[in-house]
Amino acid sequence: MYIVKRFITMLLTIWVIASLTFIIMKFIPGDPFASDADVLPEHVLDNMRAKYHLDEPIPVQYVLYLKSLVMFDLGPSIQSETRSVNSIIASGFPASATLGIQAVIIALVFGLLLGIIAALYHNRLLDYISMVIAIVGISVPSFILAPLLINYFAVKWGMLPVASWGSFQHSVLPSLALATTPLAVIARFMRSSMIEVMNQNYMKTADAKGLSSFKIVFNHGIRNAILPVVSFMGPLFVSLITGTFVIEKIFAIPGIGKYFVDSIFNRDYPVIMGTTVFFSVILVVTLFLIDISYRFIDPRIKLTSKGD
């Protein structure tokens, strides 16, 4: 019953986000053809507005907009008449998703590793080293780290290519640049959570029973300490796979971020609304799946609501 309620809540959330996106677009002064008013006759502009239903009353536009969303048709792009919003997302999302997934894997693996090491060697040298790495990772923004990676790994050492896209080698540097900050945050989360778990009575009981340190840490410690990291992974995963605009710009990656930024400058309403809803759907669905995954990570968590 809980899963059904969460699913309904997810659908309502998507509807609210889609509606707010539509309302915000309608409050923006002007229209996508305002810049052409000085060069095109008025009747041509009227025909163009009619083509995209911009001459219809706002309630009618809203109904048409929701209908297209239900049909998974995000409509045509205004600035690129030969392409639809669906095709724009389909062409840009794979590159963004590739970078995002690789960055998530790097951040998760090394962040958990640093956090666990720091917790197990609390207030010792390895703890200090791990936390210094984490602090540097949080302090240095990705748009500063990216040029440094390009300068050393591409320009000076010639180890990896940049300013192009097409192979795994092209994705290594931007993935590292994207992963640094979340890696550091995960390390700090895991360290704090792991230290707290290590001081729990059940951990001391497991130690008193003579279990090996490996079993205590991996069977009892990590499983309980990882929940805060799982909560953080939802928004992180979505923010990375849906495109990081600055990194895509620096590395000349044809990701979805480029199209989204261009659509804002060009006042391409269908692309702005379509990509916003697309991002929102991924975020809401991911959070829904993370809620469900809690039950499998920790069997003590029951997937029930207060009324069940």
Side-chain angles (χ1 to χ4, degrees):
M1 191 63 183
Y2 171 80
I3 295 178
V4 175
K5 290 181 178 179
R6 283 289 292 111
F7 182 77
I8 294 173
T9 302
M10 179 184 71
L11 295 180
L12 290 175
T13 303
I14 294 173
W15 170 71
V16 170
I17 293 173
S19 299
L20 288 176
T21 303
F22 176 85
I23 293 171
I24 291 172
M25 288 296 100
K26 294 307 171 184
F27 271 103
I28 297 177
D31 61 43
F33 308 110
S35 60
D36 299 322
D38 296 332
V39 295
L40 294 177
E42 187 62 31
H43 71 277
V44 174
L45 294 175
D46 291 339
N47 290 335
M48 294 173 68
R49 293 187 180 99
K51 177 181 178 180
Y52 297 101
H53 304 289
L54 297 178
D55 60 337
E56 301 279 0
I58 290 181
V60 175
Q61 294 184 43
Y62 178 66
V63 171
L64 293 173
Y65 167 66
L66 291 182
K67 182 179 178 181
S68 65
L69 291 183
V70 172
M71 300 298 293
F72 301 101
D73 179 11
L74 300 177
S77 168
I78 293 177
Q79 295 297 323
S80 179
E81 295 184 2
T82 59
R83 303 187 67 186
S84 67
V85 179
N86 291 50
S87 67
I88 289 174
I89 292 176
S91 63
F93 183 65
S96 297
T98 299
L99 291 184
I101 292 172
Q102 290 180 187
V104 167
I105 294 173
I106 294 170
L108 190 59
V109 171
F110 291 98
L112 291 177
L113 183 62
L114 279 179
I116 293 170
I117 291 174
L120 295 179
Y121 294 91
H122 184 45
N123 288 333
R124 285 183 275 178
L125 180 61
L126 288 178
D127 181 19
Y128 299 142
I129 293 175
S130 299
M131 287 304 97
V132 167
I133 295 174
I135 291 172
V136 171
I138 294 174
S139 303
V140 180
S142 59
F143 60 83
I144 292 179
L145 180 62
L148 294 175
L149 292 175
I150 293 173
N151 182 55
Y152 286 100
F153 286 93
V155 178
K156 289 188 176 181
W157 300 335
M159 297 173 60
L160 293 166
V162 292
S164 55
W165 183 255
S167 67
F168 172 75
Q169 286 77 11
H170 294 103
S171 67
V172 173
L173 293 183
S175 296
L176 288 174
L178 282 176
T180 303
T181 298
L183 185 156
V185 174
I186 289 173
R188 291 180 65 86
F189 275 174
M190 194 63 187
R191 175 184 179 271
S192 300
S193 183
M194 194 72 179
I195 290 174
E196 182 180 350
V197 167
M198 294 293 288
N199 291 322
Q200 297 297 316
N201 290 332
Y202 61 83
M203 296 292 288
K204 297 176 182 178
T205 301
D207 185 42
K209 288 181 178 180
L211 294 179
S212 66
S213 298
F214 179 86
K215 288 185 177 180
I216 293 174
V217 170
F218 285 89
N219 291 352
H220 300 283
I222 294 177
R223 189 169 187 174
N224 291 286
I226 203 173
L227 286 176
V229 177
V230 173
S231 299
F232 172 69
M233 288 303 298
L236 168 65
F237 180 75
V238 175
S239 67
L240 292 180
I241 69 169
T242 51
T244 303
F245 308 151
V246 176
I247 293 299
E248 290 182 4
K249 188 71 174 179
I250 292 175
F251 287 93
I253 296 171
I256 198 170
K258 173 183 180 298
Y259 295 109
F260 184 72
V261 173
D262 290 345
S263 69
I264 294 175
F265 283 110
N266 295 327
R267 303 172 70 88
D268 196 338
Y269 293 167
V271 176
I272 296 174
M273 293 190 292
T275 51
T276 301
V277 172
F278 177 71
F279 293 166
S280 303
V281 168
I282 295 178
L283 174 60
V284 174
V285 171
T286 303
L287 294 177
F288 170 73
L289 294 177
I290 286 177
D291 282 349
I292 304 303
S293 71
Y294 285 156
R295 178 64 178 84
F296 299 98
I297 296 173
D298 190 345
R300 297 171 300 175
I301 297 177
K302 303 298 182 181
L303 295 182
T304 58
S305 60
K306 292 182 179 180
D308 294 338

